[in-house]
Amino acid sequence: MNSGEEFMKRLISGVKPTGEFTLGNYIGAIRQFVEMQSNYESFVFVADLHALTIYNDPTELHNRIRELVGIYLACGLDPKYTTLFIQSENLYHANLSWVLECNSYMGEMSRMTQFKDKSKNKGNDSISVGLFTYPDLMASDIILYDADVVPVGIDQKQHVELARNLVERFNHKYGDTFKVPEPIVPEAGAKIYDLQNPTKKMSKSDESGKGCIMLLESPESAKKKIMSAVTDSENKIYYDPDNKPGISNLLVIYSSLERVSIEEVVKKFENSNYGEFKREVADSVANFLTNLQAKYEEIVSGDLIDKTLDESNEKVRKLAEAKVKEVFKKIGVGRY
Ligand code: AMP
Ligand code: TRP
């Protein structure tokens, strides 16, 4: 570790281990963690407790957790820079979450758009209380480590803003305790859209499966999905998310994977037709998946996953324990 570590700002983020991991998770989130890791004291975790807001088959959930650690490592998270851990292995997350639940209000929680979307069309007897309070757990994940920055896709920005409000409220009530975290949302790629329905977020819960590219799916199948992506009839390539959502989405995907600006991509394809453009995007995605999957296979067949997690465990537990003890003392519980 770098000797300047204590002066480095802290980064934290996580992904939920539910369903298959998507290109949206990579472009909107994991890519940022990788790019930022050497400039921060970085913490990235598997948000397995967050998965519990809906029912998951326990065996599947268990397998997804390890898969996600493998994906993190295969995408380029480096244990030299990033402390990788599993949320549920550090009991303090749930501990602090309860304190935050008692310091957040029904009104503000009811305004979380993700809660509103996910509970829409469902009866009160089928929405878990956890789905409602989950932003408190997310705030706990963040402030437990005094994180400065939280790279997330746009759909999670509101939750980081809630965390900021909770910090300000807590610090005001009990004295300076937590840092105010800042959400970092990528300029392009904060929301990757469904290939078949490019006004909807690309998501693992996509029913047909045709609009969503999975990180571990075959590169051939991903190519087909790009080739059949919905576009428009203009046959002219430029970036206009409102009027040309399909083409704009493909531009963002290509630009993110090839690490070139949207302007450069537009320039590169100014004389191409949609077929030619899609073929290039398809090749870029297939290339990316092929490399990622080769690294993934190597990682899951070795012992890096357990070694990394074992090494991080003590570090995150100690940090979190100190924070929760400080909080308990400030709020007056226990025998300090
Ligand atoms: P989740 O899979 O809901 O746990 O999301 C993990 C991270 O991936 C969060 O930062 C999300 O904002 C991000 N993310 C998920 N889907 C997308 C998408 N389609 N486009 C951009 N970011 C996404
Ligand atoms: N709630 C986030 C999601 O579903 C995942 C997450 C949990 C997270 N805790 C976090 C992201 C803390 C950033 C910081 O995408």
Side-chain angles (χ1 to χ4, degrees):
M1 291 259 175
N2 167 332
S3 59
E5 188 192 307
E6 59 205 285
F7 305 113
M8 270 182 148
K9 287 194 168 178
R10 271 197 193 151
L11 172 158
I12 196 157
S13 199
V15 174
K16 249 184 345 231
T18 48
E20 293 179 66
F21 304 104
T22 71
L23 190 63
N25 289 139
Y26 175 73
I27 295 179
I30 302 173
R31 183 176 56 114
Q32 273 60 246
F33 313 163
V34 176
E35 276 169 14
M36 296 168 79
Q37 66 179 339
S38 58
N39 295 323
Y40 290 86
E41 189 193 357
S42 168
F43 294 79
V44 174
F45 64 98
V46 175
D48 57 347
L49 294 175
H50 284 267
L52 304 178
T53 58
I54 51 164
Y55 174 79
N56 293 277
D57 174 72
T59 309
E60 190 187 331
L61 176 57
H62 180 73
N63 294 335
R64 291 275 180 228
I65 292 171
R66 179 167 283 269
E67 186 178 307
L68 179 55
V69 182
I71 286 180
Y72 278 151
L73 291 164
C75 286
L77 282 181
D78 181 345
K80 188 167 76 190
Y81 297 119
T82 297
T83 303
L84 266 182
F85 67 100
I86 296 176
Q87 182 190 31
S88 66
E89 290 186 4
N90 187 350
L91 302 178
Y92 291 104
H93 288 246
N95 244 286
L96 179 60
S97 181
W98 170 250
V99 177
L100 297 180
E101 278 180 44
C102 296
N103 283 279
S104 48
Y105 299 113
M106 296 297 285
E108 63 192 346
M109 301 304 278
S110 310
R111 286 192 291 275
M112 294 294 116
T113 52
Q114 198 179 55
F115 172 73
K116 288 196 277 190
D117 289 348
K118 291 200 175 178
S119 58
K120 202 163 56 190
N121 308 325
K122 283 198 186 152
N124 270 346
D125 288 333
S126 60
I127 306 163
S128 75
V129 173
L131 186 68
F132 185 69
T133 58
Y134 125 111
D136 283 320
L137 179 59
M138 179 161 163
S140 161
D141 301 334
I142 298 169
I143 69 178
L144 193 52
Y145 300 97
D146 278 323
D148 298 279
V149 296
V150 188
V152 283
I154 193 87
D155 61 324
Q156 295 298 324
K157 191 171 176 225
Q158 192 186 31
H159 293 153
V160 183
E161 281 159 358
L162 174 83
R164 289 170 66 89
N165 293 340
L166 296 180
V167 164
E168 276 160 7
R169 183 177 308 149
F170 190 99
N171 286 351
H172 180 72
K173 269 196 202 163
Y174 299 105
D176 217 16
T177 310
F178 297 112
K179 263 203 181 157
V180 184
E182 188 194 340
I184 305 279
V185 178
E187 250 172 67
K191 189 165 179 181
I192 299 297
Y193 294 89
D194 185 292
L195 300 167
Q196 290 299 315
N197 183 358
T199 52
K200 207 184 113 218
K201 180 178 109 161
M202 179 185 280
S203 143
K204 37 204 168 197
S205 48
D206 160 38
E207 274 140 35
S208 79
K210 287 191 188 141
C212 181
I213 290 180
M214 312 302 177
L215 294 175
L216 296 181
E217 84 174 273
S218 88
E220 277 315 307
S221 129
K223 263 185 166 175
K224 285 193 193 123
K225 290 181 185 173
I226 298 281
M227 292 311 290
S228 57
V230 167
T231 53
D232 53 70
S233 56
E234 195 185 11
N235 220 5
K236 200 165 172 339
I237 296 164
Y238 58 98
Y239 185 70
D240 181 351
D242 292 335
N243 300 308
K244 294 171 75 70
I247 287 292
S248 302
N249 193 34
L250 295 177
L251 283 167
V252 170
I253 291 175
Y254 186 87
S255 133
S256 309
L257 297 183
E258 298 297 321
R259 298 166 193 273
V260 285
S261 69
I262 305 254
E263 295 74 47
E264 283 169 87
V265 186
V266 169
K267 184 122 193 43
K268 179 174 161 102
F269 292 105
E270 66 188 349
N271 298 316
S272 307
N273 61 37
Y274 284 0
E276 291 160 344
F277 172 55
K278 279 182 168 177
R279 218 161 301 132
E280 293 272 341
V281 181
D283 283 343
S284 168
V285 170
N287 241 336
F288 167 74
L289 294 184
T290 305
N291 290 334
L292 173 75
Q293 291 168 14
K295 286 189 207 131
Y296 176 81
E297 289 308 327
E298 195 186 312
I299 287 161
V300 293
S301 60
D303 61 358
L304 183 63
I305 294 183
D306 285 309
K307 213 170 127 245
T308 304
L309 296 172
D310 289 347
E311 275 172 16
S312 305
N313 247 337
E314 187 60 6
K315 176 173 176 184
V316 293
R317 197 194 53 75
K318 273 198 179 140
L319 282 170
E321 181 180 27
K323 198 77 204 176
V324 167
K325 283 194 168 155
E326 182 190 348
V327 169
F328 279 8
K329 192 168 176 188
K330 289 226 163 101
I331 60 183
V333 298
R335 273 198 302 165
Y336 39 83

